[in-house]
Amino acid sequence: MPVEPSAPPVTEGFAKRHPMSSAVVPTTGIRTVFLDVDGTLVTYENVLPDSAAWAIREARRAGHRVYACTGRSRAEMPEAIWAIGLDGMIGGNGAYVEDDGEVLLHQHLSAAQCEQAVSWLRRRGLEPYLEANSGLYASPAFRDAARPAIRAYAIGKGAAGASSMEVDDVLPGMVLTDELVLDDVNKISFLLSSPEDDLAAARRELPDLVVLPERGALGRVAEGARLVSLVALGAYCTKVGLHWPGVVRTARTPDFRGVPTNVGQWPPTLVQ
């Protein structure tokens, strides 16, 4: 998914308006910051604000480490995002972990799991798209089927041109093909027709996968369409920290803090 840096790029004037003073530089050691991407690091129009780039660079200059923690897969993280100085990412809802260019974890669906899920979704008349590190894949019918959900979500977020937005605007580079059985898929997303019935059926028919109704991109009900993701159980455990006992322990201490942020409104506590 390409990202357009906001114009002009980070300027001296912006830095002067948001100086790093000794008063906000922490004295308690290095911290690790995990950031969502859509709606936090970039806008819903896929623009990277100066404020986001500045905050991350200043945090890293102060010695902290900054990671993206996102539903996006590696293929959806363009160079414009990496160029601001991320140390790594947790992607694909926990299926992929990268640190300093080293892949620490890639727990994808097997080809058999992918075939089982795609076959069941097609029999039920639900359009899926596959998210892999190599790219995004969907059937030719997905573009039309997903249009109402794409537009309704964009309208709800106040995105410019939302009423005429197409799937390609949100998921550029998607490969449209009827061959949807792959062995490197991080997650499978699909559009619901009857939300309660479809969710219950997916959980019953695909017991070895975690069914996650999306609360982020495309997750709103739109003319009967809602996006849902299927991920491997182990990947989801990684996303919530169950594979990292140290992180779970840290989360119970006062030093582990969640800082609410919005695009373009990066508080000094984030840089701290």
Side-chain angles (χ1 to χ4, degrees):
M1 191 179 286
V3 173
E4 300 175 5
S6 55
V10 177
T11 62
E12 182 180 357
F14 182 88
K16 286 181 177 178
R17 293 194 301 274
H18 303 270
M20 280 291 291
S21 69
S22 58
V24 299
V25 175
T27 59
T28 56
I30 295 174
R31 296 183 186 274
T32 302
V33 179
F34 297 93
L35 297 172
D36 191 13
V37 175
D38 295 289
T40 300
L41 188 56
V42 302
T43 70
Y44 289 103
E45 290 80 26
N46 228 16
V47 174
L48 176 64
D50 296 343
S51 56
W54 172 85
I56 289 173
R57 287 169 177 151
E58 287 297 304
R60 295 188 76 245
R61 187 175 67 83
H64 308 306
R65 299 180 68 78
V66 182
Y67 295 82
C69 188
T70 175
R72 291 190 182 199
S73 292
R74 187 61 169 83
E76 299 173 274
M77 293 287 287
E79 183 55 35
I81 290 180
W82 289 105
I84 63 180
L86 293 176
D87 290 285
M89 70 176 289
I90 301 172
N93 278 353
Y96 180 80
V97 181
E98 179 179 328
D99 177 46
D100 281 338
E102 179 184 357
V103 178
L104 303 182
L105 174 76
H106 187 194
Q107 185 156 352
H108 50 77
L109 277 66
S110 67
Q113 286 176 312
C114 182
E115 182 175 18
Q116 179 190 18
V118 170
S119 296
W120 179 79
L121 290 168
R122 283 177 160 170
R123 288 197 303 271
R124 198 171 175 91
L126 304 176
E127 281 297 326
Y129 81 91
L130 280 51
E131 301 181 40
N133 283 355
S134 59
L136 304 178
Y137 305 88
S139 76
F142 182 81
R143 181 182 281 137
D144 290 336
R147 186 178 294 117
I150 293 282
R151 292 181 178 178
Y153 180 77
I155 289 171
K157 292 297 181 180
S163 61
S164 60
M165 191 169 286
E166 296 291 339
V167 170
D168 298 301
D169 298 322
V170 178
L171 302 169
M174 175 175 277
V175 177
L176 299 179
T177 175
D178 286 320
E179 299 299 323
L180 293 180
V181 177
L182 305 172
D183 61 2
D184 66 339
V185 173
N186 296 325
K187 66 176 182 177
I188 299 174
S189 297
F190 63 95
L191 294 161
L192 295 173
S193 176
S194 176
E196 291 186 7
D197 291 344
D198 290 339
L199 280 173
R203 291 182 174 122
R204 183 175 62 251
E205 298 295 329
L206 305 169
D208 59 335
L209 300 179
V210 178
V211 183
L212 298 173
E214 293 281 352
R215 293 184 181 137
L218 313 186
R220 298 192 174 199
V221 173
E223 297 181 16
R226 183 193 293 267
L227 196 74
V228 170
S229 293
L230 300 169
V231 298
L233 176 59
Y236 181 65
C237 288
T238 300
K239 179 68 180 288
V240 298
L242 297 181
H243 281 184
W244 296 355
V247 171
V248 175
R249 285 197 297 272
T250 302
R252 298 187 183 126
T253 70
D255 262 354
F256 193 93
R257 294 182 295 165
V259 181
T261 62
N262 292 313
V263 167
Q265 299 174 356
W266 294 74
T269 49
L270 181 62
V271 180
Q272 293 180 49

